[in-house]
Amino acid sequence: MYVEATKTRGRHRENKAEQEGQQTSKQSSTSKVLEIAFWGTIIWSIIRLLAHFLNLTPYGLGAFARPLVGVDENSIAGIGLGAVILFIEALVATFLFSMLFSRQRVWWSGLLFGLVMLMIAGFFFRMGNWDLDTLSSEGAWYLSFGLFVGMTLTLEQSDEIH
């Protein structure tokens, strides 16, 4: 009887540790999504500002603020609002990628995700009117952002497994 009680307590502790591990994993994955979205916003905001400054693309960081009427894209308020909207978009994109593709261990899934983001952005910014220079700059920006999100989340998932 003593042996059965000890085994039951041992199983109870294992189940409790497993439940706590799942909760910690969910909390760490949420914090990783936030961290990736934050750093992705910082890095790709700087890249977008440089690309716009060098006239590689007509869309600066303030272009993300276009849906809000009355904000000049090139003003400090427009750039700040564009950065906030880019963070929200990056957060949603990172969360969607983590929900849809993070279990797969293929590095190029981020490229596909970046291509989908490019198509969505192209729909709103009328991609059919873009010249080849704008298309290549925007394509490089979205593909590299998708690759950053994809590879980072895939690496984090791989680290959690091992």
Side-chain angles (χ1 to χ4, degrees):
M1 182 127 140
Y2 176 74
V3 173
E4 287 181 24
T6 305
K7 286 182 183 178
T8 304
R9 283 188 215 134
R11 283 188 213 129
H12 180 69
R13 284 187 205 129
E14 289 173 4
N15 289 339
K16 188 175 179 181
E18 186 176 307
Q19 289 173 353
E20 288 174 359
Q22 289 174 353
Q23 288 175 351
T24 304
S25 175
K26 288 179 185 178
Q27 290 172 352
S28 69
S29 74
T30 303
S31 67
K32 284 297 175 188
V33 166
L34 280 170
E35 183 180 357
I36 292 168
F38 174 76
W39 287 110
T41 301
I42 297 295
I43 294 167
W44 272 264
S45 292
I46 293 169
I47 292 171
R48 169 124 350 234
L49 286 172
L50 285 173
H52 183 65
F53 178 75
L54 296 173
N55 292 324
L56 297 174
T57 181
Y59 305 110
L61 188 57
F64 291 102
R66 272 191 184 174
L68 302 173
V69 178
V71 176
D72 180 30
E73 290 180 22
N74 295 323
S75 67
I76 297 296
I79 291 172
L81 187 58
V84 169
I85 292 173
L86 178 61
F87 174 72
I88 293 169
E89 289 177 4
L91 187 64
V92 169
T94 306
F95 178 74
L96 284 175
F97 187 91
S98 70
M99 295 300 293
L100 299 175
F101 299 113
S102 68
R103 300 271 183 222
Q104 299 176 0
R105 288 188 173 185
V106 289
W107 66 269
W108 48 266
S109 62
L111 285 175
L112 291 177
F113 192 68
L115 185 64
V116 169
M117 289 190 309
L118 174 65
M119 293 298 148
I120 292 170
F123 175 75
F124 287 108
F125 288 105
R126 296 194 170 98
M127 186 190 298
N129 298 334
W130 290 356
D131 58 352
L132 187 58
D133 298 337
T134 304
L135 182 62
S136 63
S137 297
E138 293 298 316
W141 192 85
Y142 278 102
L143 289 176
S144 65
F145 181 72
L147 195 59
F148 167 74
V149 169
M151 289 186 79
T152 306
L153 284 173
T154 302
L155 181 64
E156 289 296 327
Q157 183 68 25
S158 178
D159 285 348
E160 286 180 8
I161 290 172
H162 296 294

